[in-house]
Amino acid sequence: MKKLISFLLLIFIGLSFAACTGGFSTTLFTTTDVATNDFMTDNETTVDSTTVGVTDTFPTTTITDPVTTAFTTIPITTTTWTTEDVTTTEPVDFINVLLASLTLREKASQMVQAERGSISNEQVTQYGIGSILSGGGSHPTAYDDSVDTWYNMYSNYQTAALNSSSGIPIIYGIDAVHGNNNLYGATIFPHNIGLGMTNNPELIYNISKATAEEMLVTGINWTFAPAFSVVQNIGWGRTYEGFSENPEIHVNLAQAAILEFEENGVSATAKHYLGDGGTVGGIDQGNVIGTEELIRQIHLAPYYQAVAAGVDTIMISYNSINGIKIHGSSYWINDVLKEEMGFDGFIISDWNAIHQLPGSFYDQVVSSVNAGIDMLMEPYDWAAAIDNIVLAVNNSDISVERIDDAVRRILTVKYERGLFDDPFYKLDSSYLYSQEHQDLARQAARESLVLLKNDNNSLPLSKNDNVYITGPASDNVGLLCSGWTTYWQGNPAADIGVGTSILDAMAGVLNTNSGTLSNSWQAADTVVIVLAENPYSEGVGDNSNPTLTNGNAHTQNYESLLLAQEAQNAGKNVVGVLVSGRPLLLENYLQYFDSFVAAWLPGSEGGLAISDLLFGDYDFVGKLSFTWPADVTQIGYTSNREDYDENYPLFPYGYGLKYN
Ligand code: BGC
Ligand code: BGC
């Protein structure tokens, strides 16, 4: 029996929307890609010898370009469920009946997720794929695509899925990790490191709601967030994705970071399970060494909260624990997460991650599915993944019960988030960068700032002051947002459609009072110097010596530090603001600043928030959720130690000054 609603929508969409082009790429990324932020559009066939980043994420097979298909030409096939079924049957019965009606191949397809750039609408219908994702910076056509372009892509895929033999809607996933950050014009919230400094669950709850709303303007209803990376080494390039070095802050914020997504019909993902923040040397995707007790106390703690909050999905981490890849660990997935903790959502692998397991691709599929992974994120090799699941069941290497368990979990999440009721659900675009969301992002940024030093009444500044503002992040919203902002590696060069720079925000205050924005430091009384890290994400940001001038540090920091020294010697009030994804080693530079503020990666409204605090409209409330090391030898010295000595690091966990 045909599903009436989807049939009518199909006709409507078929007639009114342009066909979606599934721009294909065999994406291998190179240094040029990093420089140009162009990861998703090349047709590169060789690996650049200076390839940066994660070497084992390259596709192993080539998939032919998908054919662009107009919807009206997709044949309408019979689906196995009806709208009446959804409304009149108990969920569990609906899912059982649906599951029983599926062929092995249809089930296997539900267990696989493809990247949008490598699957066409026609293939979605042909394969009945379970899920599609946008990787970091993977837009329908261009980085500044409109909400409508995003929704057209989404709804075209959804129509194609409803037309597959199983008729099961897809669930579309995206990394909305600080707002719906792949979407041009979306509100960009502070990265998690800043939210950890607020340690304010109510704020996190509201941000999750706002982010869900800004996702739903595009129809997309699955975020690969929140990350519960309990970061033990600030050299790790993903430090800013974690709230804190200490599990207590994760535990405090975990439920708030999940509940409002799911109450708004968006699935959340607790990631990356398990131990992503604990690798030796802070190496991305590396190995964690430790006793089981330690791993449970530090890294597992937030997942109890996530399961209690009913999180829909959990993403497995690339890393190993004591030499064993989590993607192949039946102990950590089946035994601990599913049996012991009772997690009843579904488990997704990370991007191409099962390719890092031993053996052939067939072996990798078998060991990951048997370890308890329910859906394979196979951006490029999705078709081969489906084939291998089918083959493995036919060979009795994977049991039918395991497949049914995985598919039941996936169908249940789809059901609970309303995909069977209304797969085309969307919110109107007035939610995008609404005033309410801007205010919330500004509040979040304000609460995340930490005042580290304030001598000589350096701060707050008078609004009648004569101020010179300089430094690499003083007039660049892209740097305030950093990685995972319109592009995977961030967007400091192009505009992101929203936001206010620090310079513009402070100039606004000075100009509406009797202050002056000076154009030379010599003529000013106060010199504000905004230092920065260049944007990065994942392993690209790994840096074992993260100083103000080394590695990912902005190349203009050095000249700004020289200026700080000169201005200090000339008797100016020198204010430092650091925009960074982690505490940076300050070496001997702090002495040149009368006051110094850690701003983390405060997002699109960060400029206004910094201005609010520097001019004293609000007091500082942020407290360090990370220990600030005095030097490189102190990296890894965290508040999780029983013998933690607050006087040993430069600034201890929990530190933060206030005006009053
Ligand atoms: C990252 C995940 C992310 C996924 C999809 C992976 O490389 O580790 O955090 O969710 O890509 O973009
Ligand atoms: C994805 C990442 C992935 C990277 C490298 C990005 O587009 O979002 O998750 O790790 O590509 O292939």
Side-chain angles (χ1 to χ4, degrees), residues 27 29 39-40 54 57 115 133-138 175 285 318 350-352 377 380 484 488 538:
T27 307
F29 66 91
F39 295 94
M40 304 304 296
V54 186
T57 54
E115 213 288 330
L133 90 150
S134 271
S138 176
D175 293 280
Q285 309 188 4
Y318 285 109
D350 202 346
W351 176 282
N352 261 336
M377 187 190 291
Y380 313 108
W484 300 103
W488 181 42
E538 302 192 40

Side-chain angles (χ1 to χ4, degrees), residues 40-307:
M40 304 304 296
T41 52
D42 298 355
N43 270 303
E44 286 156 2
T45 49
T46 53
V47 181
D48 187 318
S49 58
T50 48
T51 294
V52 186
V54 186
T55 47
D56 12 20
T57 54
F58 301 126
T60 53
T61 58
T62 305
I63 300 160
T64 43
D65 279 26
V67 186
T68 305
T69 313
F71 289 94
T72 40
T73 67
I74 295 178
I76 294 162
T77 51
T78 305
T79 59
T80 47
W81 57 280
T82 70
T83 326
E84 294 90 290
D85 294 338
V86 179
T87 49
T88 60
T89 333
E90 284 297 308
V92 56
D93 297 333
F94 172 80
I95 287 157
N96 280 337
V97 170
L98 178 56
L99 187 60
S101 76
L102 299 177
T103 64
L104 172 60
R105 184 161 282 276
E106 286 170 338
K107 291 176 186 173
S109 298
Q110 283 303 305
M111 295 171 63
V112 177
Q113 180 184 61
E115 213 288 330
R116 58 144 282 284
S118 70
I119 191 162
S120 67
N121 298 307
E122 191 187 46
Q123 287 170 315
V124 170
T125 299
Q126 187 189 338
Y127 287 83
I129 194 111
S131 180
I132 300 176
L133 90 150
S134 271
S138 176
H139 318 100
T141 69
Y143 89 96
D144 56 356
D145 278 338
S146 69
V147 164
D148 290 344
T149 305
W150 277 93
Y151 183 69
N152 286 357
M153 172 194 71
Y154 170 80
S155 59
N156 287 343
Y157 276 138
Q158 201 57 283
T159 303
L162 293 169
N163 272 318
S164 67
S165 61
S166 71
I168 298 173
I170 52 154
I171 181 166
Y172 195 110
I174 199 161
D175 293 280
V177 298
H178 60 148
N180 188 10
N181 43 257
N182 279 291
L183 175 64
Y184 182 82
T187 312
I188 303 298
F189 292 91
H191 269 297
N192 282 351
I193 190 167
L195 300 183
M197 308 284 156
T198 76
N199 200 14
N200 178 348
E202 192 188 336
L203 178 71
I204 310 308
Y205 192 80
N206 292 335
I207 291 174
S208 306
K209 179 166 191 282
T211 303
E213 288 167 348
E214 295 205 21
M215 290 174 66
L216 288 170
V217 299
T218 67
I220 293 175
N221 75 335
W222 179 13
T223 178
F224 303 131
F228 294 125
S229 314
V230 192
V231 182
Q232 302 306 295
N233 186 311
I234 58 164
W236 187 35
R238 307 193 78 159
T239 296
Y240 67 76
E241 295 188 59
F243 294 121
S244 176
E245 69 186 17
N246 197 307
E248 68 183 1
I249 291 183
H250 291 261
V251 166
N252 193 36
L253 301 179
Q255 297 217 18
I258 291 165
L259 289 170
E260 268 299 306
F261 278 113
E262 303 201 341
E263 269 160 34
N264 283 278
V266 171
S267 288
T269 307
K271 74 182 188 184
H272 309 81
Y273 181 88
L274 177 70
D276 56 348
T279 61
V280 175
I283 292 169
D284 192 40
Q285 309 188 4
N287 185 29
V288 182
I289 297 178
T291 62
E292 174 151 349
E293 192 194 359
L294 184 98
I295 284 154
R296 282 178 179 257
Q297 274 172 7
I298 293 182
H299 300 287
L300 191 62
Y303 289 91
Y304 285 99
Q305 301 298 321
V307 171

